[in-house]
Amino acid sequence: MTLGSVFTGEDASLRPEIAVSWRRSRLHGLTPELDPARVSITEVDHSSRLMTAGRAVLDELSRQLEGTQFCVLLADRDCRIVYRWFGDRRLQQQVEGIGAVLGSQFGEGRIGTNALGTPYESGKAVEIHGGEHFVEALKRFSCYGHPIRHPLTGRIEGVLDITGIGEIGNPLFGPLVSRAVVDIQQRIVEGARVAERRLFLAFQEATHRRSAPVAVLGGDLVLANRSCTDQLRPADPALLRTLLPRVPRRGILKTTLAVPGGGSVEVIAERVEGTPDGAVFQVTRR
């Protein structure tokens, strides 16, 4: 199926970026009826790099919106909602009614055109008013969503959204969200520099006091000594990243990891303090 095969006359009345989003929604097999089963919910990491960088900015943004009928939603790099703030109880009930709870995945493939999934998919800020939403249950809202990019890598780290009830958007949405996104992006860079210094120091310390194969991972950084690379062949040391969510904040993870091409390695991992997701790995081939 091609985009052209799902183009309809109804799409022609929409703004181009919204029409393209509707076509993507159809390609995902969505219909205008909300299917709650498509919205999966997973655990949220409140100490992630995005949350660490965004916390003070989100607090200030919610302070500015106090007493209004708007809400603030933040999604992570998986388009999963990791933060919510509501200025109005009735709005909160309606937003929760469409499945927008902590940990819910709000990509276009699950909920159609929306101010989290559409900016995430297009990589651009998107304003969505009432009937421009693909799913009927979302048409009561007006939203403005803006992707958050890592200033150094260009990768999308999340999406920030302001939502209100009504068919017409607020002209203040764009500048307000854009300013908050710039502030979060700057804090991501500042936090990354501090975290990377700690990861480098952790790697130096680990390789100094251990003769075993060692790797340190965190954020976009992968450090490994030669013996670790040898132990993990033909895989890359970045394979250890699959274990990061399992490493406890306090204590040690001991586990076995299968290596592509056959065989496995024993892994001992512990967190690097002062980093959102850094860990030191000691690897031994079985």
Side-chain angles (χ1 to χ4, degrees):
M1 183 182 293
T2 65
L3 287 180
S5 67
V6 291
F7 184 86
T8 69
E10 184 179 22
D11 291 347
S13 66
L14 299 171
R15 290 183 288 133
E17 63 269 32
I18 301 299
V20 170
S21 175
W22 277 41
R23 294 173 218 166
R24 286 195 300 259
S25 299
R26 291 194 185 98
L27 287 172
H28 282 294
L30 293 177
T31 65
E33 290 72 39
L34 178 63
D35 182 3
R38 295 185 73 109
V39 182
S40 65
I41 300 176
T42 56
E43 188 176 350
V44 171
D45 182 4
H46 295 284
S47 60
S48 68
R49 176 169 59 187
L50 177 64
M51 284 301 299
T52 301
R55 191 166 286 112
V57 179
L58 294 169
D59 288 345
E60 174 60 22
L61 184 59
S62 60
R63 187 192 65 77
Q64 295 178 44
L65 294 172
E66 189 70 46
T68 68
Q69 293 184 321
F70 301 125
C71 73
V72 177
L73 301 175
L74 177 69
D76 64 10
R77 64 172 60 175
D78 297 317
C79 208
R80 175 183 53 185
I81 296 175
V82 294
Y83 172 89
R84 307 180 314 154
W85 175 88
F86 297 92
D88 179 78
R89 176 61 181 168
R90 184 170 69 96
L91 174 60
Q92 180 177 354
Q93 292 172 340
Q94 295 197 32
V95 168
E96 290 177 347
I98 61 171
V101 299
L102 281 179
S104 59
Q105 218 280 350
F106 245 56
E108 276 190 344
R110 297 177 182 271
I111 202 73
T113 304
N114 71 91
L116 292 176
T118 301
Y120 179 88
E121 191 71 33
S122 67
K124 299 184 294 184
V126 180
E127 196 170 358
I128 305 174
H129 305 306
E132 293 182 324
H133 290 90
F134 181 76
V135 172
E136 287 292 333
L138 276 66
K139 293 183 184 296
R140 74 191 81 163
F141 303 109
S142 270
C143 322
Y144 187 94
H146 197 303
I148 301 168
R149 292 187 180 275
H150 193 299
L152 302 181
T153 66
R155 185 171 65 184
I156 291 181
E157 295 287 334
V159 180
L160 182 63
D161 160 53
I162 291 181
T163 290
I165 298 175
E167 294 285 322
I168 302 174
N170 189 306
L172 297 178
F173 279 7
L176 195 60
V177 176
S178 297
R179 180 68 256 174
V181 166
V182 170
D183 290 344
I184 292 173
Q185 291 177 162
Q186 182 58 38
R187 288 170 181 267
I188 287 175
V189 172
E190 293 168 358
R193 287 171 180 155
V194 172
E196 286 181 359
R197 278 200 300 271
R198 288 175 174 160
L199 292 172
F200 276 115
L201 290 173
F203 181 70
Q204 288 179 331
E205 181 182 359
T207 52
H208 176 73
R209 59 187 171 90
R210 294 190 182 112
S211 58
V214 168
V216 170
L217 282 79
D220 299 309
L221 193 67
V222 178
L223 302 170
N225 59 9
R226 184 183 297 275
S227 55
C228 177
T229 303
D230 291 340
Q231 293 283 16
L232 289 173
R233 284 177 180 164
D236 185 271
L239 174 67
L240 297 170
R241 194 179 298 279
T242 61
L243 299 177
L244 273 176
R246 296 171 51 191
V247 182
R249 289 290 160 189
R250 292 180 175 82
I252 293 175
L253 170 71
K254 294 183 179 180
T255 189
T256 301
L257 181 66
V259 178
S264 61
V265 292
E266 300 287 350
V267 180
I268 300 175
E270 56 186 320
R271 289 281 180 178
V272 177
E273 290 188 13
T275 66
D277 59 356
V280 178
F281 295 86
Q282 182 175 335
V283 180
T284 307
R285 182 172 286 277
R286 296 185 67 182

